[in-house]
């Protein structure tokens, strides 16, 4: 329908980059797009940390699960939910104890995500590729120490940006009927939608692995059912998020 | 630098819409763009509910704080974090009790946000305007009942979409230096950045209100320092999110 929609619909994560740099002008446009994203009551409850130091990058790559693209991508950003700045601003006029609610935790997490997704779209519009790095939550305490994050700031995810050096297949998504409903959540068709998507994804895995793997979606999802990053709650509380 | 970046940088929230419809083709393109957004380990841990029923829309508008545009916008979407679908899929292969962690809560909240922001950008690329509705969290229990959300699904925010019938001023954002850092979080310049942004925003408020208001940013932020949506934690627990 237009170039932007084509761009959005063609997104795929890029995990291999050429040595070409991301220019200062490109990074500036990417960050300007991020800053213009919607934000809850103009709180702008996020911060972005660009990791330019090589030793620090190497350490973060290890902490994020030894992902080589975290070390080697031209740009690596850590997107943080940030209620610290808001507290500093509000504290100029507010006498009481500042609340540390689940609501504010949601606001920071959403604000960071909306800004990051604008950055991702801006980068892709410039011919760059990106991948989100959830692995930054593998060892969030150590990441927060390295980045010197103050209380009430936490790293939500990282993002690699660079010129793509691969053209991965488009991974099919869930059928629309499993994701979008009118007026009320529909339970009726879920089981058959999972059946259908299991088949689709198994075929995709076969194509991507040259026949070596045929994991279905529900099998892949079962792999996430064990104790994954169960430290997040205690980490967040150390970081000052009471989640009241 | 290109049309997409111009579009992203020109975003402003639209709260007044013409009577023109959003076509089925437009909504389809918007939802396709949303589905293509990045998602943690392909969990796609979100759902979208489009509210087409007039009585339901009217009720939601009341629950969200009597915002007339929630009632009158051509399209109103409720974006939900959804771990229910994942549980149903994983449960086909996983025997143990499914975890209900803070980590999974973050994944659902982020996945819903990335998909929604893609939808927002797609809509704007079609000449439509959008506004996020955090007010959907004012009475989330009642909203969840009306939308028949199963356990482990919660409404993160709403979104109005339609043809803009206003051209609001561009609200200036925080100085870049307050939001973006290299390598480590910087505390040094925060106070002066807040000073500068207080002035900028006060001037913007004056322009927007024809001189009637001159609220600074830190004043506005202090308005958010009291007990705001303190029900979220107990609501989420009722909704099955243990936040372990």
């Amino acid at each position: 329908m237009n170039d932007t929609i084509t761009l959005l619909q063609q997104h795929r994560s890029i995990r291999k980059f050429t040595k070409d740099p991301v220019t200062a002008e490109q990074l500036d446009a990417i960050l300007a797009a991020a800053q213009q994203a919607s934000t809850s009551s103009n709180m702008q409850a996020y911060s972005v940390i660009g990791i330019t130091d090589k030793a620090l990058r190497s350490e973060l790559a290890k902490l994020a699960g030894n992902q080589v693209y975290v070390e080697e991508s031209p740009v690596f950003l850590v997107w943080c939910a940030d209620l610290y700045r808001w507290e500093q601003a509000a504290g100029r006029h507010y006498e009481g104890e500042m609340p540390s609610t689940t609501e504010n935790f949601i606001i920071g997490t959403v604000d960071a995500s909306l800004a990051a997704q604008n950055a991702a779209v801006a980068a892709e519009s410039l011919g760059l590729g990106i991948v989100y790095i959830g692995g930054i939550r593998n060892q969030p305490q150590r990441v927060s120490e390295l980045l010197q994050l103050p209380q009430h700031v936490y790293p939500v995810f990282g993002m690699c940006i660079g010129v793509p050096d691969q053209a991965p297949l488009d991974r099919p998504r869930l059928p629309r009927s499993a994701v979008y409903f009118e007026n009320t959540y529909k339970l009726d068709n879920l089981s058959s939608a999972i059946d259908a998507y299991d088949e689709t994804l198994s075929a995709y895995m076969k194509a991507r692995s040259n026949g070596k793997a045929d994991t279905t979606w529900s099998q892949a999802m079962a792999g996430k059912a064990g104790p994954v990053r169960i430290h997040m709650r205690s980490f967040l509380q150390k970081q000052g998020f009471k989640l009241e």
Side-chain angles (χ1 to χ4, degrees), chain A:
Chain A
M1 301 182 86
N2 64 49
D3 291 349
T4 299
I5 286 188
T6 303
L7 182 80
L8 293 168
Q9 295 185 357
Q10 284 179 348
H11 162 76
R12 50 215 70 179
S13 296
I14 297 297
R15 293 180 175 85
K16 191 159 184 260
F17 302 96
T18 70
K19 302 266 179 219
D20 298 304
V22 172
T23 68
E25 291 71 23
Q26 288 175 322
L27 184 58
D28 180 65
I30 289 166
L31 293 172
Q35 284 199 259
Q36 206 57 31
S38 292
T39 157
S40 183
S41 301
N42 200 28
M43 284 173 68
Q44 304 174 66
Y46 70 94
S47 286
V48 199
I49 306 193
I51 312 298
T52 55
D53 182 86
K54 274 183 97 87
L56 178 57
R57 185 79 84 84
S58 172
E59 186 66 21
L60 290 175
K62 276 181 216 139
L63 293 171
N66 284 312
Q67 303 185 63
V68 63
Y69 34 98
V70 173
E71 186 157 4
E72 292 179 359
S73 61
V75 165
F76 183 65
L77 303 176
V78 180
W79 295 88
C80 302
D82 186 341
L83 278 306
Y84 174 81
R85 191 193 306 115
W86 165 71
E87 288 166 353
Q88 295 300 308
R92 293 184 172 199
H93 308 282
Y94 186 80
E95 300 277 311
E97 197 193 342
M98 300 289 284
S100 181
T101 57
T102 301
E103 166 68 7
N104 281 346
F105 177 76
I106 292 170
I107 286 176
T109 303
V110 170
D111 273 10
S113 302
L114 302 185
Q117 186 56 17
N118 258 18
V121 173
E124 290 178 347
S125 80
L126 294 166
L128 304 170
I130 69 107
V131 62
Y132 281 89
I133 305 295
I136 211 76
R137 298 193 303 274
N138 287 356
Q139 299 201 51
Q141 186 75 49
R142 186 79 190 106
V143 168
S144 300
E145 286 160 9
L146 284 169
L147 306 188
Q148 301 175 27
L149 303 184
Q151 290 277 290
H152 303 141
V153 179
Y154 90 95
V156 187
F157 41 67
M159 180 185 283
C160 301
I161 309 179
V163 176
D165 196 21
Q166 61 178 179
L169 287 178
D170 182 18
R171 175 152 59 183
R173 296 299 202 250
L174 279 159
R176 174 78 50 83
S177 64
V179 174
Y180 177 76
F181 312 108
E182 278 194 11
N183 297 313
T184 54
Y185 196 102
K186 304 292 189 302
L187 299 167
D188 310 351
N189 299 320
L190 180 55
S191 185
S192 58
I194 294 175
D195 288 341
Y197 190 49
D198 271 355
E199 267 190 48
T200 308
L201 212 64
S202 178
Y204 160 81
M205 290 303 290
K206 256 189 205 154
R208 203 179 75 163
S209 68
N210 293 317
K212 283 179 217 144
D214 62 355
T215 318
T216 66
W217 186 61
S218 58
Q219 285 169 340
M221 293 304 98
K224 300 272 154 193
V228 177
R229 295 183 194 140
I230 50 174
H231 52 259
M232 280 308 288
R233 183 182 168 80
S234 64
F235 155 69
L236 287 166
Q237 291 190 324
K238 272 187 207 149
Q239 202 62 19
F241 290 92
K242 293 186 195 162
L243 302 176
E244 289 166 338

